[in-house]
Amino acid sequence: MAVSTYPVISWWNRSNTQQVSLWDVGQGGTVKAGEESPQFGVLIWNNRGGTADVSDIVKAELTTRDMDAKDVTPPVVGKWVRVKNDSQAEVTAERIGKGANKSIKTSGTTTNTDGSFTPGVAPHTSPAGEVSALGVKNDGTKSGAAGNFIELTLSALPEATAPAGTFDFVVRLSYTFT
């Protein structure tokens, strides 16, 4: 795929009805040490509802970082955040944080006026690594554009000896593109 446009990444709620920019981990501010937070379903889109193709994202990974891009706060060092890749039908969540990244990808197919497209199937292959989400134009729906988004479930599980306090951190998506 010869596209020179950057990916267009956006995060949406699981029902695909609202864009999200904040995860209130405790849904009210509190997660008790040793207890898991409520689960948070999210869709990471590439080119949601786009009318022209953009670049595919390749080798996508999630991790956590401090707000200043370091990795010293307890949620990051302790790997409190857990990720399950629903697009891959995973049943077990993996910990992310300092030194622990989670590879994520979709296995869905997107159909548009030019045909049907799936990551890893020509022309959506890359010598730079595995295609994680397509950048093809799409209708922005979960049923019609499953190749353009990665569906995930996030939760937090602080260890039983976790310190009290408020901790700000980010869930960071990294990827390459061609």
Side-chain angles (χ1 to χ4, degrees), residues 46-152:
N46 183 13
N47 199 27
R48 181 181 183 271
T51 57
D53 292 352
V54 300
S55 293
D56 297 334
I57 62 172
V58 177
K59 294 173 57 177
E61 294 183 331
L62 279 188
T63 195
T64 57
R65 301 291 282 194
D66 298 342
M67 297 300 286
D68 60 2
K70 295 180 182 177
D71 52 6
V72 297
T73 60
V76 176
V77 174
K79 300 174 188 76
W80 293 359
V81 174
R82 305 194 185 286
V83 179
K84 182 174 56 124
N85 190 338
D86 301 306
S87 292
Q88 293 291 305
E90 291 181 353
V91 293
T92 304
E94 293 181 36
R95 296 164 34 131
I96 59 173
K98 183 176 182 176
N101 297 342
K102 166 81 172 140
S103 294
I104 58 171
K105 65 179 181 175
T106 188
S107 59
T109 297
T110 296
T111 301
N112 60 34
T113 56
D114 297 332
S116 291
F117 306 95
T118 305
V121 177
H124 297 279
T125 57
S126 171
E130 189 169 40
V131 173
S132 300
L134 301 175
V136 297
K137 61 187 174 185
N138 65 85
D139 65 6
T141 67
K142 286 177 75 172
S143 59
N148 285 76
F149 67 87
I150 305 163
E151 186 166 358
L152 306 169

